[in-house]
Amino acid sequence: QVQLVESGGGVVQPGGSLKLSCAASGFTFNRFGMHWVRQAPGKGLEWVAFLWYEGNNEHYADPVKGRFTISRDNSKNTLYLQMNSLRAEDTAVYYCAKDLEKSYTTDYWGQGALVIVSS
Amino acid sequence: QSALTQPRSVSGSPGQSVTISCTGTSSDVGGYNYVSWYQHHPGKAPKLIIYEVNKRPSGVPDRFSGCKSDNTASLTISGLQPEDEADYYCCSYAGTYTWVFGGGTKLTVL
């Protein structure tokens, strides 16, 4: 069965950096696009970034553009999110999610990794 | 990329039906037939229950249904069950490989 396991969350100071990982299993990772979605405390879900299956076409939500970078290593079945210049408003649970091909949606999500930006 | 508008909360008794609305613009909900709905029990992974406006993934009961008219999509849950109590989010494709979510609706089963 499809499994997505995020790691790398933690507490970081404003202006700092953090890199999240998402280990995928149970499907052919290199055939599917992947997303990051976040949920700030007490708030709704917010789409963050999308990366094509080949890893050569990435798209970002405006609040993170220029600060976050989505990438993948298909040889390791792993998705990444490099987060730089972190702000308090980036505090959230970050989920990785598998794209449902040709349906412009996501069908499987991980349990999430908590990122806290605080001094 | 403004969030789609959902009611903060809805409620219903077991066996009843509830409908959750999701209002966007012609740039997202109204422009594409790519509206999805997710069920989210806090602390767990969100679960896809409707995609492409009205399609159900395998294993999702037919008590869950979706539709869309102009810039508003709707999720209807019929025959409410206690386990349906959760947060529900709509999501729409917004073009150029970007997506936008709704603010979420808390469903209470009385």
Side-chain angles (χ1 to χ4, degrees):
Chain A
Q1 72 280 20
V2 172
Q3 269 203 309
L4 299 167
V5 180
E6 300 92 340
S7 61
V11 180
V12 60
Q13 292 190 338
S17 298
L18 204 62
K19 187 172 185 177
L20 302 180
S21 299
C22 170
S25 61
F27 65 102
T28 306
F29 182 70
N30 62 12
R31 285 188 52 199
F32 293 91
M34 295 293 295
H35 301 251
W36 286 100
V37 179
R38 68 185 180 182
Q39 183 175 30
K43 303 290 186 181
L45 298 173
E46 180 185 22
W47 174 80
V48 172
F50 171 70
L51 181 63
W52 280 49
Y53 65 98
E54 295 172 321
N56 61 349
N57 196 345
E58 52 204 85
H59 301 269
Y60 300 93
D62 286 343
V64 308
K65 205 171 289 185
R67 300 187 299 122
F68 288 14
T69 301
I70 185 173
S71 63
R72 64 195 295 162
D73 185 338
N74 285 342
S75 69
K76 296 181 178 179
N77 287 355
T78 302
L79 178 74
Y80 303 102
L81 185 68
Q82 176 68 48
M83 303 182 291
N84 298 331
S85 303
L86 282 162
R87 307 166 180 167
E89 54 266 34
D90 295 318
T91 293
V93 174
Y94 285 75
Y95 298 95
C96 67
K98 171 186 167 291
D99 190 62
L100 178 58
E101 194 176 17
K102 298 179 183 176
S103 291
Y104 294 87
T105 190
T106 57
D107 56 354
Y108 290 96
W109 295 50
Q111 299 273 13
L114 177 61
V115 173
I116 298 173
V117 183
S118 174
S119 54
Chain B
Q1 292 181 345
S2 298
L4 307 177
T5 301
Q6 297 180 231
R8 292 288 297 268
S9 64
V10 297
S11 62
S13 300
Q16 288 186 332
S17 295
V18 294
T19 296
I20 300 171
S21 62
C22 169
T23 301
T25 69
S26 59
S27 296
D28 38 63
V29 175
Y32 306 93
N33 287 323
Y34 293 121
V35 176
S36 303
W37 289 89
Y38 298 87
Q39 178 189 65
H40 189 202
H41 289 103
K44 294 194 170 183
K47 176 185 177 183
L48 178 68
I49 55 173
I50 294 288
Y51 67 102
E52 292 184 25
V53 176
N54 56 16
K55 296 180 179 179
R56 280 178 287 105
S58 174
V60 174
D62 59 6
R63 303 187 295 104
F64 294 88
S65 62
C67 63
K68 190 188 85 164
S69 176
D70 297 327
N71 296 338
T72 297
S74 298
L75 170 71
T76 297
I77 308 171
S78 58
L80 271 178
Q81 298 183 1
E83 58 265 33
D84 296 335
E85 185 161 297
D87 297 321
Y88 290 84
Y89 292 90
C90 61
C91 179
S92 175
Y93 181 63
T96 324
Y97 297 100
T98 64
W99 284 261
V100 60
F101 280 89
T105 299
K106 181 177 180 60
L107 169 62
T108 300
V109 180
L110 302 170

